[in-house]
Amino acid sequence: MIKHGSSKNRIALVISLFIAIYATIFMRLVHYGMVESPEKQFISQQASFSRPVILDRNGKILAMDITAFSLYAEPRRITDIDEVAEKVNRIIPQLSLKTLYGKLSSSSGFVWLARQLTPAVKNQLMLAGIPGIGFRPELKRIYPAGRTTAHIIGLTNVDNAGVAGLEKWIDGQGIDDIRHVGLANAESLAPVITSIDLRVQHALHYELSKALVEYGAAGVGGVILNIKSGEIIALASLPDFDPQFPTEAQLPDRLNRITASASEMGSIIKTFTTAMAIEYAGADLTTIYDATNPIKVGNQLVRDFFGKKRPLTLEEVFLYSSNIGSAHEALSVGVEAHRKFLVETGLLNRIHLELPEIAKPMEPRHWTPPTSITAAFGHGFATTPLQTAVGIGGILNKGILVAPTLLKRSHSHTDLQARRIVDEKASAILRHLYRLSAVKGSGRRANIAGLRVGGKTGTAEKVIDGRYAKNRNFNVFAAAMPMDDPTYVYLIVVDDPAPKSERRGQTAGLTAAPLAGEIIRKTFSFLNLTPQFEGQNI
């Protein structure tokens, strides 16, 4: 006799088994629907490849996602490989028959044939009625400004992952974590608003493109920096690349010369040497330095290019760009203090910026008096043009250095990024000297009427096969304006312009300075600067 309780238990067990069976069937159906359908599988993944829109400071699009279509095949469903390969090859000739045969003969259930096709090619393939192939929608990154912003924005790979520039930096800011939980889609990602003004960027890029050809240079570059906020308004380096063609970016001469290359900067470093003498040694405009005779350093003599062969005031040392006078300024401070000042003004540390392509400065392992003497006029250590511009900006900005950024910055954030590097006295003297150099010195070709431009040139001989080459130069010019209270610093680089002769290279005063002047003419109105023609004195 079966007990009533046992019967109930059996019924409950049978019901539980049916529930388990149907649950298993349901889960398998869900699994097949989600995993085995290529279209559904991709739709679930599509959001994980979304990227935020990148904008300039005025809302102009610099990078965005669009939907593209990629071609795939399911080899197991193809009965006539020859027919499919020949039809696809006729429409996409760059896919060779050999490649197609190899992929279509695979035992795999899914193979990619071509990524990110144009709508026209996709339509041709659809009209051909080719069996065993299909299309998957995926995201493609486009760059409306193209080469103009290439070294800032960078680029992505075929899977829409950042591989250079801001695109790579964005991926390091937590987007990968968001992708893994499926929340990274176009609607959930806030736009990245950069500090770049696309109008200024276009003008900078255009003038640099002309100069690259005109000077027969190995490369040119420039950065325009708001020294009050630290915002980079424009940055370009040529030769550059088209971000839609990633292989071009890998060529060795396409590096970003403004941030990713450290060089000896030449006499532009006298900005720092002079400020250091004022700050650390109490010098002023009338302090005398004896530039009568060359200084012996090892087997070499430190000479002046256009020597006056007499004692010079600090003002004259800067105006005539005296190597001898600058060496004496450095000696008045001492080796340890000299290096300390260069560290504090940011020349010897790797700079922080929203770009992965940042070079580390190079300096001697041990600093000695000869090291200090040559460093005084920009030889013997290497730094990047960007950190040179930032340091100069800090000196001229009443002594306040604001850390640079490629992102649009609020006033409150600016205050957090600011620090004093020299006092206001040193800053006022350097502003006077910069203006003097633009009016009477080597920066004359960048002096624009009404804008009160100041500037300093730097011409460094390049090291070729371990030796300084007399006719191969790295030219730099830094301009600031308006010099009463500067807001903007322009730093322009002309790398290895065609030599004037076998014995002499072109100097910064003949290349980088006039180039800077032309860029200032084309951009100052976008920066809300109005020429003032009254009282045009130094």
Side-chain angles (χ1 to χ4, degrees):
M1 184 175 178
I2 300 173
K3 292 184 179 179
H4 184 67
S6 298
S7 177
K8 284 185 175 182
N9 289 339
R10 288 192 183 95
I11 292 171
L13 179 61
V14 170
I15 292 172
S16 298
L17 287 172
F18 273 106
I19 291 173
I21 291 168
Y22 280 110
T24 301
I25 292 171
F26 176 77
M27 293 301 293
R28 295 294 290 174
L29 289 172
V30 170
H31 175 74
Y32 288 135
M34 293 183 65
V35 176
E36 293 198 3
S37 166
E39 296 297 334
K40 289 183 180 178
Q41 182 185 27
F42 184 76
I43 289 169
S44 70
Q45 294 174 343
Q46 185 176 11
S48 69
F49 293 98
S50 294
R51 304 185 64 79
V53 173
I54 303 177
L55 306 173
D56 91 329
R57 64 187 303 109
N58 300 311
K60 301 294 184 183
I61 295 174
L62 303 180
M64 65 180 293
D65 287 340
I66 61 169
T67 301
F69 293 89
S70 293
L71 177 66
Y72 68 88
E74 298 176 276
R76 293 173 188 166
R77 295 178 52 195
I78 296 174
T79 55
D80 189 339
I81 293 175
D82 290 345
E83 177 192 8
V84 172
E86 289 170 5
K87 285 185 175 181
V88 172
N89 172 257
R90 280 199 296 269
I91 297 170
I92 311 178
Q94 57 268 41
L95 274 178
S96 69
L97 286 172
K98 181 179 179 181
T99 298
L100 286 166
Y101 284 137
K103 290 188 175 186
L104 297 175
S105 302
S106 167
S107 60
S108 171
F110 177 95
V111 292
W112 286 116
L113 297 182
R115 305 290 293 273
Q116 300 180 346
L117 299 173
T118 65
V121 172
K122 181 203 170 192
N123 289 338
Q124 284 182 274
L125 289 163
M126 291 182 67
L127 291 172
I130 304 171
I133 67 167
F135 302 92
R136 282 187 173 185
E138 60 179 349
L139 296 175
K140 179 180 180 180
R141 199 68 161 167
I142 63 167
Y143 303 94
R147 293 177 178 274
T148 303
T149 56
H151 278 112
I152 301 168
I153 305 303
L155 70 164
T156 57
N157 61 19
V158 71
D159 293 317
N160 219 25
V163 295
L166 276 175
E167 294 281 33
K168 185 173 182 179
W169 175 81
I170 288 169
D171 281 8
Q173 302 307 301
I175 283 189
D176 281 343
D177 295 333
I178 298 173
R179 284 173 174 163
H180 289 151
V181 296
L183 297 177
N185 54 56
E187 291 73 27
S188 67
L189 296 173
V192 174
I193 304 175
T194 69
S195 58
I196 299 302
D197 186 320
L198 190 55
R199 302 167 302 175
V200 179
Q201 181 72 23
H202 270 301
L204 173 66
H205 187 270
Y206 176 74
E207 293 301 327
L208 290 175
S209 300
K210 290 198 305 180
L212 184 68
V213 177
E214 179 183 349
Y215 296 131
V220 292
V223 60
I224 302 173
L225 178 71
N226 183 326
I227 62 176
K228 302 293 187 187
S229 67
E231 293 170 300
I232 294 172
I233 306 301
L235 185 154
S237 176
L238 281 86
D240 51 24
F241 57 90
D242 186 336
Q244 304 296 165
F245 297 95
T247 54
E248 192 179 356
Q250 298 171 7
L251 297 173
D253 65 342
R254 306 307 159 95
L255 83 166
N256 183 344
R257 283 174 167 80
I258 301 300
T259 68
S261 177
S263 303
E264 293 187 357
M265 304 299 290
S267 291
I268 203 168
I269 297 299
K270 291 170 184 173
T271 307
F272 298 86
T273 308
T274 304
M276 176 183 68
I278 299 165
E279 186 78 5
Y280 284 1
D284 59 27
L285 288 172
T286 62
T287 302
I288 300 294
Y289 299 95
D290 189 0
T292 306
N293 299 308
I295 299 175
K296 189 172 184 180
V297 178
N299 295 323
Q300 303 293 323
L301 289 176
V302 173
R303 304 175 184 272
D304 286 341
F305 196 68
F306 294 112
K308 301 300 178 181
K309 298 183 179 180
R310 62 174 174 82
L312 302 174
T313 64
L314 179 142
E315 183 178 73
E316 291 175 319
V317 168
F318 195 88
L319 177 62
Y320 302 137
S321 198
S322 168
N323 292 340
I324 300 171
S326 297
H328 283 300
E329 288 178 341
L331 291 173
S332 72
V333 168
V335 175
E336 185 177 340
H338 188 178
R339 184 182 181 279
K340 176 175 177 285
F341 185 80
L342 297 182
V343 169
E344 289 180 348
T345 50
L347 293 189
L348 297 183
N349 298 321
R350 191 172 185 267
I351 199 166
H352 294 285
L353 189 68
E354 301 88 0
L355 288 182
E357 299 84 17
I358 302 291
K360 183 180 179 181
M362 295 177 287
E363 61 173 316
R365 187 182 297 260
H366 302 291
W367 278 59
T368 62
T371 305
S372 186
I373 287 171
T374 56
F377 48 88
H379 285 264
F381 75 96
T383 190
T384 67
L386 175 62
Q387 56 202 118
T388 306
V390 172
I392 289 171
I395 290 171
L396 300 180
N397 182 33
K398 299 181 180 178
I400 303 296
L401 185 151
V402 184
T405 182
L406 280 165
L407 304 179
K408 194 171 183 179
R409 181 178 277 170
S410 66
H411 290 297
S412 59
H413 194 197
T414 296
D415 293 339
L416 294 174
Q417 302 299 317
R419 61 187 176 87
R420 179 168 292 282
I421 56 173
V422 297
D423 64 23
E424 292 197 30
K425 173 190 172 184
S427 179
I429 292 175
L430 263 296
R431 292 198 300 272
H432 164 79
L433 293 173
Y434 258 61
R435 178 61 180 155
L436 182 68
S437 178
V439 174
K440 297 182 178 181
S442 58
R444 294 188 303 277
R445 291 177 177 83
N447 189 23
I448 312 299
L451 293 179
R452 293 189 59 76
V453 176
K456 181 73 184 82
T457 55
T459 301
E461 293 174 349
K462 291 182 68 105
V463 177
I464 308 294
D465 297 328
R467 299 173 64 87
Y468 286 109
K470 294 291 184 184
N471 65 342
R472 306 283 294 278
N473 291 339
F474 184 83
N475 295 338
V476 191
F477 183 75
M481 61 180 188
M483 284 316 302
D484 307 275
D485 185 12
T487 300
Y488 298 99
V489 162
Y490 290 62
L491 191 134
I492 305 301
V493 167
V494 180
D495 183 5
D496 202 10
K500 295 185 70 175
S501 69
E502 292 183 3
R503 296 176 58 85
R504 185 178 173 189
Q506 294 207 64
T507 62
L510 298 175
T511 57
L515 174 56
E518 196 57 38
I519 292 168
I520 291 170
R521 286 188 186 91
K522 296 288 172 51
T523 58
F524 76 87
S525 61
F526 297 129
L527 303 175
N528 298 319
L529 294 174
T530 304
Q532 310 236 344
F533 295 99
E534 294 182 6
Q536 290 296 306
N537 54 9
I538 293 173

